[in-house]
Amino acid sequence: MKSLPTVDRFSFKGKRALIRVDFNVPQDKSTGAVKDDTRIRAALPTIQKVLNDGGSVIVMSHLGRPKGRREEKYSLAPVRQRLSDLLGREVLLAPDCVGPEVETLAAGLQPGQVLLLENLRFHPEEENGDRHFASQLADLGDVYVNDAFGAAHRAHASTAVVAGFFPSDRKCFGYLMATELANANRVLHQFTRPFTAIIGGAKVSDKILILERLLERADHILIGGGMAYTFFKSLDGNIGKSLCEDDRLEVARQLLESARARGVNVVLPADSITAVEPSNEAQTGICPSHQISDGYMGLDIGPQAIKEFRDVIVQSQTLLWNGPMGVFEFEPFQAGTRAVAEAVAEATDRGAFSLIGGGDSVAAINRFGLADRVSFVSTGGGALLEYFEGKSLPGVEAILGS
Ligand code: AMP
């Protein structure tokens, strides 16, 4: 694997770096204050590198879904405040992301100064990948840096199209993007066996492509969460009113068939925690996952499944985990996800490489306080999934392409 072009290749002295970051942070609904600044912190090393070199920084991001027009609740003003606090220096907020006023502000930047552009998605041209809009962004900086792994699967103006306006020696990845890619590549291309993928979450339909790709590599695939019940139904099991995608039964059957043909060990949860519906007060029961009574749902993997999953996980050398094992938002259905998180941490302690990716498994590992005991927690949900599905990421190709 070629080494990736990163900010380390440049001295930014006297240069303006145009950095695409992912500052799409959770906010307090009433005050707009930043509730979790993980994504802002993740971009700091790249910004600091430019500033330490004696350059200036123009940061751009989207926030929420403002649908192509200005809406104050999607302003990056609260992000400006937090970024300024974290950097320990003033951050200017531009009134927009393109236009004469922004051009004047960018042109006047002195070394050490940071300018945050207003929400890119105030303009429909951003998501449309408009070339003129991208060229206006490109005019603001001397070097383009993409550090927005979370948006790398989008062919938007600021994530991909803009890079076309910079020659190959004036564009590169930020540290976050490079680290994300290096860790994903390690699992995809440099894994050591046994390689176990743990795939959970709600829907089979979201995970078909990644499962197909994993069949080419993994030794074991552990399937939990709501998606497991489509597999049980495809094997003629009784799943009560568990989550099921009836239009995916054939796909599920074929996935199991091709796993058998390839010698990949697919493990479905032997038993389930059941209830009439998910709630914190639910009366729960335990039963084999293919014998769930009418009117009941499988809402977490059961104790037998936990034991079987654990045995595989702790003996693995490479682990990829995407998606919770149950409706872990409710306390009665947390045990499976927690046990998997603990087993992944234990395997990592013993020397395995573990990558956790995809929104809800990341939330789970954080909730259980185990994020420091796994090898890498990815910040890119959709982007990571698409990378593992074997799709090329427009944000990555735009840097590597020419
Ligand atoms: P995903 O975004 O596809 O990874 O799905 C995450 C969601 O799947 C979470 O909100 C979980 O509550 C949900 N989920 C996990 N297990 C189950 C289950 N057995 N039944 C229904 N939903 C589930």
Side-chain angles (χ1 to χ4, degrees), residues 200-203 206-207 225-226 229 243 297-300 322-329 360:
K203 291 184 175 171
D206 292 343
K207 311 281 163 88
Y229 301 99
L243 211 62
M297 310 172 80
L299 293 166
D300 193 7
N322 171 277
M325 297 292 101
V327 189
F328 77 107
E329 296 91 335
D360 278 336

Short mmCIF file of all heavy atoms in Angstrom, two decimals, residues 200-203 206-207 225-226 229 243 297-300 322-329 360, ligand 1:
data_model
loop_
_atom_site.label_atom_id
_atom_site.label_comp_id
_atom_site.label_asym_id
_atom_site.label_seq_id
_atom_site.Cartn_x
_atom_site.Cartn_y
_atom_site.Cartn_z
N GLY A 200 -23.86 -6.21 13.48
CA GLY A 200 -25.18 -6.15 14.10
C GLY A 200 -25.96 -4.98 13.57
O GLY A 200 -25.70 -4.50 12.46
N GLY A 201 -26.90 -4.49 14.38
CA GLY A 201 -27.72 -3.37 13.95
C GLY A 201 -29.06 -3.83 13.43
O GLY A 201 -29.41 -5.01 13.53
N ALA A 202 -29.78 -2.88 12.87
CA ALA A 202 -31.18 -3.13 12.59
C ALA A 202 -31.43 -3.95 11.32
O ALA A 202 -32.17 -4.92 11.34
CB ALA A 202 -31.92 -1.80 12.52
N LYS A 203 -30.81 -3.54 10.23
CA LYS A 203 -31.27 -4.05 8.94
C LYS A 203 -30.24 -4.85 8.17
O LYS A 203 -29.10 -4.42 8.01
CB LYS A 203 -31.68 -2.87 8.07
CG LYS A 203 -32.91 -2.16 8.55
CD LYS A 203 -33.24 -1.10 7.54
CE LYS A 203 -34.54 -0.39 7.85
NZ LYS A 203 -34.68 0.77 6.96
N ASP A 206 -28.97 -2.91 4.96
CA ASP A 206 -27.84 -1.97 5.06
C ASP A 206 -26.50 -2.68 5.04
O ASP A 206 -25.47 -2.05 4.83
CB ASP A 206 -27.90 -1.21 6.39
CG ASP A 206 -29.07 -0.25 6.47
OD1 ASP A 206 -29.64 0.07 5.41
OD2 ASP A 206 -29.42 0.16 7.59
N LYS A 207 -26.50 -3.98 5.34
CA LYS A 207 -25.22 -4.66 5.59
C LYS A 207 -24.90 -5.75 4.57
O LYS A 207 -23.91 -6.44 4.72
CB LYS A 207 -25.22 -5.25 7.02
CG LYS A 207 -25.65 -4.29 8.13
CD LYS A 207 -24.55 -3.33 8.54
CE LYS A 207 -25.06 -2.13 9.34
NZ LYS A 207 -25.14 -2.29 10.76
N GLY A 225 -28.02 -8.46 16.62
CA GLY A 225 -28.93 -7.35 16.36
C GLY A 225 -30.19 -7.79 15.63
O GLY A 225 -30.43 -8.98 15.39
N GLY A 226 -30.98 -6.80 15.26
CA GLY A 226 -32.25 -7.08 14.60
C GLY A 226 -32.08 -7.85 13.30
O GLY A 226 -32.94 -8.65 12.91
N TYR A 229 -32.64 -11.83 12.72
CA TYR A 229 -33.92 -12.54 12.62
C TYR A 229 -34.36 -12.78 11.17
O TYR A 229 -35.09 -13.73 10.89
CB TYR A 229 -34.98 -11.83 13.47
CG TYR A 229 -34.50 -11.79 14.89
CD1 TYR A 229 -33.89 -10.65 15.42
CD2 TYR A 229 -34.54 -12.94 15.67
CE1 TYR A 229 -33.36 -10.64 16.70
CE2 TYR A 229 -34.02 -12.95 16.96
CZ TYR A 229 -33.42 -11.81 17.46
OH TYR A 229 -32.88 -11.82 18.72
N LEU A 243 -37.85 -7.99 14.36
CA LEU A 243 -37.56 -7.25 13.13
C LEU A 243 -37.26 -8.24 12.00
O LEU A 243 -36.55 -9.22 12.19
CB LEU A 243 -36.30 -6.42 13.39
CG LEU A 243 -36.15 -5.09 12.67
CD1 LEU A 243 -37.29 -4.16 13.08
CD2 LEU A 243 -34.82 -4.45 13.06
N MET A 297 -40.67 -10.29 20.59
CA MET A 297 -39.57 -9.89 19.70
C MET A 297 -38.24 -10.30 20.31
O MET A 297 -38.07 -10.20 21.54
CB MET A 297 -39.50 -8.35 19.56
CG MET A 297 -40.76 -7.66 19.21
SD MET A 297 -40.50 -5.86 19.31
CE MET A 297 -39.69 -5.57 17.75
N GLY A 298 -37.29 -10.66 19.45
CA GLY A 298 -35.92 -10.85 19.91
C GLY A 298 -35.25 -9.49 19.96
O GLY A 298 -35.17 -8.81 18.94
N LEU A 299 -34.78 -9.10 21.16
CA LEU A 299 -34.27 -7.72 21.30
C LEU A 299 -32.82 -7.66 21.75
O LEU A 299 -32.23 -6.59 21.85
CB LEU A 299 -35.17 -6.95 22.27
CG LEU A 299 -36.59 -6.71 21.71
CD1 LEU A 299 -37.54 -6.26 22.81
CD2 LEU A 299 -36.56 -5.69 20.57
N ASP A 300 -32.22 -8.82 22.03
CA ASP A 300 -30.79 -8.87 22.34
C ASP A 300 -30.35 -10.32 22.17
O ASP A 300 -31.19 -11.24 22.16
CB ASP A 300 -30.54 -8.43 23.80
CG ASP A 300 -29.05 -8.15 24.08
OD1 ASP A 300 -28.24 -8.17 23.11
OD2 ASP A 300 -28.71 -7.92 25.25
N ASN A 322 -19.19 -3.71 13.70
CA ASN A 322 -20.13 -2.68 13.26
C ASN A 322 -21.55 -3.09 13.66
O ASN A 322 -22.04 -4.13 13.22
CB ASN A 322 -20.04 -2.53 11.73
CG ASN A 322 -21.14 -1.64 11.18
OD1 ASN A 322 -22.25 -2.10 10.97
ND2 ASN A 322 -20.85 -0.39 11.00
N GLY A 323 -22.18 -2.27 14.47
CA GLY A 323 -23.60 -2.49 14.80
C GLY A 323 -23.81 -3.20 16.12
O GLY A 323 -23.13 -4.19 16.42
N PRO A 324 -24.76 -2.71 16.94
CA PRO A 324 -25.02 -3.31 18.25
C PRO A 324 -25.71 -4.68 18.15
O PRO A 324 -26.33 -5.01 17.15
CB PRO A 324 -25.94 -2.30 18.93
CG PRO A 324 -26.62 -1.59 17.81
CD PRO A 324 -25.64 -1.57 16.67
N MET A 325 -25.59 -5.44 19.23
CA MET A 325 -26.15 -6.81 19.27
C MET A 325 -27.63 -6.81 19.65
O MET A 325 -28.31 -7.83 19.52
CB MET A 325 -25.38 -7.66 20.29
CG MET A 325 -23.92 -7.87 19.96
SD MET A 325 -23.71 -8.89 18.47
CE MET A 325 -23.37 -7.66 17.24
N GLY A 326 -28.09 -5.69 20.19
CA GLY A 326 -29.48 -5.61 20.62
C GLY A 326 -29.90 -4.16 20.73
O GLY A 326 -29.13 -3.24 20.38
N VAL A 327 -31.11 -3.96 21.23
CA VAL A 327 -31.62 -2.59 21.41
C VAL A 327 -30.98 -2.03 22.67
O VAL A 327 -31.63 -1.88 23.70
CB VAL A 327 -33.17 -2.61 21.49
CG1 VAL A 327 -33.73 -1.20 21.45
CG2 VAL A 327 -33.74 -3.40 20.33
N PHE A 328 -29.68 -1.74 22.56
CA PHE A 328 -28.89 -1.44 23.77
C PHE A 328 -29.25 -0.09 24.38
O PHE A 328 -28.79 0.23 25.47
CB PHE A 328 -27.38 -1.50 23.44
CG PHE A 328 -26.90 -0.29 22.70
CD1 PHE A 328 -26.12 0.67 23.33
CD2 PHE A 328 -27.24 -0.10 21.38
CE1 PHE A 328 -25.68 1.79 22.65
CE2 PHE A 328 -26.82 1.04 20.69
CZ PHE A 328 -26.05 1.97 21.33
N GLU A 329 -30.08 0.68 23.67
CA GLU A 329 -30.54 1.96 24.24
C GLU A 329 -31.37 1.70 25.49
O GLU A 329 -31.52 2.57 26.35
CB GLU A 329 -31.40 2.72 23.23
CG GLU A 329 -30.67 3.16 21.96
CD GLU A 329 -30.73 2.14 20.82
OE1 GLU A 329 -30.90 0.92 21.11
OE2 GLU A 329 -30.59 2.54 19.66
N ASP A 360 -23.65 3.37 15.89
CA ASP A 360 -24.16 2.84 17.14
C ASP A 360 -23.18 1.96 17.89
O ASP A 360 -23.22 1.91 19.12
CB ASP A 360 -25.47 2.09 16.90
CG ASP A 360 -26.63 3.06 16.82
OD1 ASP A 360 -26.50 4.16 17.39
OD2 ASP A 360 -27.65 2.73 16.20
P1 AMP B 1 -27.71 0.18 12.56
O1 AMP B 1 -27.80 1.67 12.41
O2 AMP B 1 -28.21 -0.58 11.39
O3 AMP B 1 -26.35 -0.26 13.04
O4 AMP B 1 -28.75 -0.19 13.70
C1 AMP B 1 -28.65 0.29 15.01
C2 AMP B 1 -30.00 0.12 15.66
O5 AMP B 1 -30.37 -1.25 15.62
C3 AMP B 1 -30.02 0.52 17.10
O6 AMP B 1 -30.87 1.65 17.24
C4 AMP B 1 -30.60 -0.68 17.82
O7 AMP B 1 -31.58 -0.34 18.77
C5 AMP B 1 -31.24 -1.46 16.70
N1 AMP B 1 -31.36 -2.89 17.03
C6 AMP B 1 -30.39 -3.70 17.46
N2 AMP B 1 -30.88 -4.92 17.73
C7 AMP B 1 -32.19 -4.90 17.47
C8 AMP B 1 -33.25 -5.84 17.55
N3 AMP B 1 -33.02 -7.08 17.97
N4 AMP B 1 -34.48 -5.44 17.20
C9 AMP B 1 -34.71 -4.18 16.79
N5 AMP B 1 -33.75 -3.24 16.67
C10 AMP B 1 -32.51 -3.59 17.02
#
